[in-house]
Amino acid sequence: MRLLQKLAIGLGIICLFVILSGIIGIIYTNALKDNLTTVTKISSPTVSLIDNMIISLWKMNNVIQEYSIESDRNSLDKLRLRFEQYNQEFRDSELNIRDLINDKTILANLDTALGKYFGFKDNADEVIILHKNELEAQTIEEKISLKEKRITQSDKLEKNVANAVNVLEEIAIRVNTINTKADEASLNSIQKTRLNLLLMTILSIGSSILIGVFLSRSIIKPINNLSKAASKIAAGNFDVEVPTSDSDDEINHLTSTFNQMIKSLKKMLEESPRLKRFLDLKPKSATQLQYELEAGSSYIIKDSDSKAAFDIVLDKISNKFHPLCITRTNPSNINEK
């Protein structure tokens, strides 16, 4: 496998985990969004509307009770207008709930509550008519009869209001249950998102470590082996061979070529001793300079100055050697040094 392919596969695996993490985050975020929408745009507004319907019912009942004992015509007209206002508020809230809720059970309960409401309104209208007739009655007997009927209808009003309120409260409890379930689902989505993202993070880190180890063994380790072998060759040791693998990548090809180069250089040195190069000359003693040079060989000293060369020359002069110096420096300066 080529080096570029290895790097591409490793990068692809890491990108895959990143993409999976993003997809999981999007999925659970959408689920969380849906649950929050249920809570903020459906459940909570519905509970608020139900509360408004209950309040409107009790207000309507109070208005009718006031109406049944009022005798002033202007006050009666005002009470009638208030009754119609609360009645409209009740119906508006009921229509808004139908726009928000699509649960069949809740809608059925709402129809039941609406039936109780219509019974209440019929009683209320009858109380209004009876009270009006009572005020217009000419005889005491007629007034007493109408009053008794009005009281009977007023008692029914209380019962119908109480029944309608009970049904509406049941609806509120059911909607609160939906609200609670949505809250629990939201919390569950958050927990699952945390867990899955944590798992994907661990898998991403683990895969990165494994990919790093794989690339280290297939790329960095062979390069280190080549570097160590090159250091040994620079020190004059050609008895080295860098281990190769069965891989078909560029690093393995470079290693094979490097080994072939070492064998070629070693063969050339064995056939021509004069080609020994880059030998690191070191004195045998720290107190007395003494160098051993192989006769018939050539040496190249890799230094930034000529100090080592002068030390070797002086050492050899002291051992009755006769040097030949080829230099661009003035000969008198060389002789003095």
Side-chain angles (χ1 to χ4, degrees):
M1 186 183 294
R2 295 292 182 180
L3 182 60
L4 183 60
Q5 291 176 335
K6 293 179 180 179
L7 293 174
I9 291 174
L11 181 61
I13 293 173
I14 294 175
C15 290
L16 178 62
F17 279 110
V18 173
I19 292 172
L20 289 175
S21 299
I23 292 174
I24 291 173
I26 291 172
I27 291 173
Y28 284 103
T29 299
N30 288 335
L32 178 62
K33 180 182 177 182
D34 293 339
N35 291 321
L36 290 176
T37 300
T38 300
V39 173
T40 58
K41 294 185 178 181
I42 298 177
S43 302
S44 296
T46 300
V47 172
S48 178
L49 289 170
I50 292 172
D51 290 340
N52 291 340
M53 292 176 70
I54 293 173
I55 293 172
S56 296
L57 276 175
W58 284 117
K59 285 181 176 180
M60 291 165 67
N61 180 65
N62 291 335
V63 168
I64 292 300
Q65 298 299 334
E66 290 180 24
Y67 190 95
S68 65
I69 60 176
E70 182 62 57
S71 59
D72 182 68
R73 297 289 181 178
N74 292 329
S75 298
L76 289 174
D77 291 338
K78 291 180 180 179
L79 290 171
R80 183 63 185 268
L81 290 174
R82 284 171 57 191
F83 180 84
E84 293 301 329
Q85 177 185 348
Y86 297 146
N87 174 64
Q88 188 61 44
E89 290 176 359
F90 180 91
R91 295 307 306 273
D92 289 341
S93 298
E94 179 255 337
L95 292 176
N96 289 331
I97 290 175
R98 292 185 184 277
D99 291 336
L100 292 174
I101 295 294
N102 57 6
D103 185 275
K104 293 182 179 180
T105 304
I106 293 178
L107 291 176
N109 290 339
L110 185 62
D111 291 336
T112 302
L114 197 62
K116 301 292 183 182
Y117 157 77
F118 285 135
F120 161 78
K121 191 169 184 307
D122 290 341
N123 290 338
D125 291 338
E126 193 168 349
V127 168
I128 291 173
I129 294 172
L130 288 172
H131 185 58
K132 182 179 179 182
N133 292 335
E134 180 185 352
L135 294 176
E136 295 175 354
Q138 300 298 322
T139 63
I140 297 176
E141 291 80 4
E142 187 179 359
K143 286 187 176 184
I144 293 173
S145 176
L146 291 171
K147 182 177 180 180
E148 290 176 351
K149 291 180 179 179
R150 175 177 56 79
I151 293 173
T152 302
Q153 292 299 323
S154 296
D155 293 338
K156 289 182 180 180
L157 279 177
E158 294 286 347
K159 292 179 181 179
N160 285 330
V161 169
N163 291 334
V165 168
N166 288 336
V167 176
L168 290 173
E169 287 178 347
E170 290 179 3
I171 296 174
I173 291 172
R174 187 176 294 275
V175 174
N176 278 324
T177 302
I178 296 175
N179 200 359
T180 302
K181 290 181 178 179
D183 286 336
E184 292 175 352
S186 299
L187 181 60
N188 190 33
S189 296
I190 293 173
Q191 291 174 344
K192 285 184 178 179
T193 302
R194 287 178 179 174
L195 180 61
N196 282 281
L197 290 179
L198 178 61
L199 180 60
M200 294 305 299
T201 300
I202 294 173
L203 290 175
S204 299
I205 294 173
S207 63
S208 299
I209 293 173
L210 291 176
I211 292 170
V213 171
F214 171 73
L215 293 178
S216 175
R217 290 182 177 179
S218 59
I219 300 175
I220 299 176
K221 186 177 180 181
I223 291 176
N224 287 336
N225 291 336
L226 287 171
S227 177
K228 292 177 182 178
S231 298
K232 291 180 180 179
I233 293 172
N237 181 11
F238 290 87
D239 295 326
V240 294
E241 182 177 359
V242 182
T244 59
S245 63
D246 297 331
S247 177
D248 189 30
D249 59 14
E250 293 83 352
I251 299 294
N252 196 51
H253 290 166
L254 175 62
T255 303
S256 299
T257 304
F258 188 83
N259 287 333
Q260 291 296 328
M261 182 192 70
I262 295 173
K263 292 178 182 178
S264 299
L265 287 175
K266 186 176 181 181
K267 185 177 181 181
M268 291 172 64
L269 287 173
E270 289 174 351
E271 293 177 355
S272 303
R274 286 180 175 274
L275 294 178
K276 289 184 177 179
R277 304 179 66 188
F278 310 120
L279 183 63
D280 186 12
L281 299 176
K282 295 183 180 179
K284 284 188 175 181
S285 171
T287 58
Q288 181 182 4
L289 294 176
Q290 184 177 355
Y291 297 88
E292 290 184 0
L293 302 181
E294 184 178 346
S297 298
S298 299
Y299 296 88
I300 295 177
I301 300 174
K302 293 176 61 179
D303 283 335
S304 59
D305 56 30
S306 58
K307 182 178 182 304
F310 276 108
D311 290 341
I312 296 172
V313 170
L314 291 174
D315 178 73
K316 293 307 176 183
I317 290 174
S318 64
N319 286 281
K320 299 181 180 181
F321 279 78
H322 301 284
L324 171 64
C325 181
I326 301 173
T327 178
R328 291 180 296 175
T329 307
N330 192 303
S332 60
N333 292 337
I334 296 295
N335 286 329
E336 181 180 356
K337 189 169 183 179

